[in-house]
Amino acid sequence: MEAVDIRGDGVRLRGYRADDLDDLVAGYRDPQTRRFLRGLPSPFTRRHGTWYLKEAVPAAFAQGGAVYAIADPATDRLLGGAGLERPVSTRQQAELGYWVGPWARRRGVATAAVRALCGHAFGAGIARLELLTHWENEASQRVALAAGFLREGVRRGAVAGPDGVREELIAFARLADDPPGPTPRLLPDLPGGELTDGVVTLRPLTADDVDFYAELHAVPDVIATSVPPVAPTYDEMVRRCSSAAAHWLAGDRADLVITEAATGTRTGSIGLFYQEPTTAQAMIGYSMLPAWRGRGFPTRAAQLLSLWAFAETSIARLIAGAVPSNIGSQRVLEKAGFKREAYLRSRLPGPHGRRSDDVQYALVAEDLLTEGPRFDG
Ligand SMILES: CC(C)(COP(=O)(O)OP(=O)(O)OC[C@H]1O[C@@H](n2cnc3c(N)ncnc32)[C@H](O)[C@@H]1OP(=O)(O)O)[C@@H](O)C(=O)NCCC(=O)NCCS
């Protein structure tokens, strides 16, 4: 590929220049860049920067790829970098990578640069562009979706981590003839980032919630009602919290923390699992810390989540289940407007290798319209 100037929305992709060195070194020393761009020398020195500009960039072009500086079109200052690697050149494919310096993040630079580079690559005969992100790299997954890439799946053991353990990467791809514009999402962001009725607030689970998540998942009846009914390891809990945003963006599950609205104290969790988009049916599940039970919080949470799901997503039917002995959970569902529909024998994996029956409830949008919210505790 040839180094040419590429215009984007608020960005210019151009060849690197010797006077980009300071910004390049600052960008490659940034912890966020280092966390997600594996294989950078540590520490990244000016000598490394000079080597990169003089040798790595020309080598990338020589191998059929491309490396561009992302520059501010007004000042020409370096904002980041974007490149294409051609791992399987005979298949007209390339892999796209990018970084933006901390001084230029969260103002659409990466999205504009990726869109512009895609247009250029497709114009040069590339048929398929791939983009790989770490599970925890929410920003990069948002860039991928905003630039019209479709999430295709998970590449296991795709890259060596800092400790030598191989890490999974999420694979996104965009084809030359994919429709323009951002990739539609099954689960949009919450309006203003949260849902609240003034008493409880629901907000997305994040990597900062691990201690709370561990406390909740050490409660015996929370373990017993989990599927499967086994206490997760600490590593598994870290993984769940740090991959929650990726699942939300993928549209398969939304994990939320139920907080006390007045104080922000974490009290429980509620999840929405969009397992059946083809029939527009999703499932919810929730758990409360024992100290916060008896206040109607999960009922409010289920109601808030249901209202959001019916108003903001394609979901037409919500289901939830409880083991027959879990009367508290069944009361929560009834108070939240769910109707009992079925008794499913041996539906769920139970403790000690046995199976558990499942009482199934469902809520459809009309139930809420006819009955209205019942926040009467
Ligand atoms: C990923 C990265 C390139 C994003 O650059 P950027 O210029 O800030 O991205 P944009 O401004 O185009 O933001 C794109 C989206 O991500 C969101 N976003 C950006 N940073 C975010 C963050 N830290 N957390 C959550 N969302 C974030 C933006 O709000 C925007 O969302 P929207 O499209 O839903 O509105 C930058 O954070 C970076 O350089 N990270 C380190 C290197 C890296 O991860 N490279 C990619 C490897 S796959």
Side-chain angles (χ1 to χ4, degrees), residues 27 30-37 70 79-81 96-102 104-115 131-134 136-147 169 182 185 189 245 249:
D30 166 66
Q32 192 73 359
T33 308
R34 308 188 63 77
R35 186 165 166 219
F36 295 125
L37 294 190
I70 307 172
L79 304 177
L96 200 138
Y98 44 87
W99 63 274
V100 170
R105 288 187 186 147
R106 300 207 86 148
R107 53 178 163 101
V109 168
T111 303
V114 170
R115 284 189 184 138
L131 191 165
L132 303 171
T133 80
H134 281 87
E136 320 87 87
N137 198 349
E138 177 185 352
S140 190
Q141 292 160 35
R142 286 182 178 272
V143 170
L145 295 172
L169 292 175
R185 284 171 50 189
D189 294 324
L249 292 171

Side-chain angles (χ1 to χ4, degrees), residues 152-174:
E152 290 189 335
V154 174
R155 292 235 183 124
R156 295 175 306 137
V159 70
D163 48 7
V165 178
R166 294 198 67 86
E167 298 172 335
E168 287 184 353
L169 292 175
I170 303 180
F172 292 84
R174 179 163 173 79

Side-chain angles (χ1 to χ4, degrees), residues 244-257:
H247 280 291
W248 195 308
L249 292 171
D252 61 3
R253 60 187 289 167
D255 286 290
L256 301 115
V257 179

Side-chain angles (χ1 to χ4, degrees), residues 228-230 346 348-356:
V230 179
S346 215
L348 300 167
H352 314 299
R354 293 195 296 268
R355 303 280 301 174
S356 296

